[in-house]
Each structure stands twice: as structure tokens, then as C-alpha cells.
Amino acid sequence: SAETCGVVMETHRCDYGLEFLRGKGGTPDIVVFFNPGFTCPDYTWHDALAAIPSKTPFMVATNTEMEGAHDCQYLFKRKFISELPDYLDEILGGQDEEKSNSS
């Protein structure tokens, strides 16, 4: 007999951060950001990203490939990810300074 696995998704309309995790959150299995706009100057995601428990995977979904590339740069510069995808320089047309400087 085949085993089945259910997925339960919880959403909360609030800021994600340490206050949320202490109050109603608990430890997530994964954190998902839908079109966060990490590079938008109108708000900051640093506290939300810093609140993700160590070794907890997170996923970022964006509207465009270019926005995804910029989000990768943002995450890398702030040490939320340890390396950039190899194809990023091609997408950014040579604008990926971290990859260029480390070669």
C-alpha cells in the first residue's frame, strides 16, 4: 500500500520576526516569501530573515527573473545564503560584482 503525506500550510497576516515566533509561531518547517521585494527601499526584511531558525529552509518566489536575481544578490551580500547560482552573472549582464571579484 502506498503511503500518503499531507501538507498543512499556515498563513499569518503579520510581521514575521522573533515576536511572532515567540507568540503564535513556533518553529517552522520552511519559510516562504512571496514576491518580497528585498531590494525595495520602502521597507526592510532583515529582521524577518534573521528570525528564521538556523537550518530552516526558506524559499523566495518573485514575479520576474531579474527581481529573483536581485533578491539573490541581496541575500548573499547579507550572508543569508552562502553562494550565488552560477547563472546569475548571465542574467545580470556582468553586474554581479561578488562573482566577478571572487574569480
Side-chain angles (χ1 to χ4, degrees), residues 18-89:
L18 293 176
E19 186 176 318
F20 168 75
L21 290 173
R22 284 189 206 115
K24 52 187 156 184
T27 303
D29 295 317
I30 186 170
V31 175
V32 181
F33 294 91
F34 291 102
N35 198 31
F38 289 136
T39 59
C40 179
D42 296 338
Y43 42 84
T44 178
W45 285 97
H46 187 272
D47 290 347
L49 288 160
I52 299 172
S54 178
K55 305 226 186 246
T56 301
F58 65 94
M59 182 184 91
V60 179
T62 64
N63 287 331
T64 68
E65 185 176 56
M66 184 62 75
E67 185 177 358
H70 288 294
D71 283 349
C72 284
Q73 282 183 312
Y74 174 92
L75 294 167
F76 180 73
K77 284 180 183 177
R78 288 155 184 82
K79 301 191 184 322
F80 291 112
I81 59 175
S82 59
E83 60 187 62
L84 292 169
D86 290 335
Y87 58 85
L88 195 65
D89 193 47

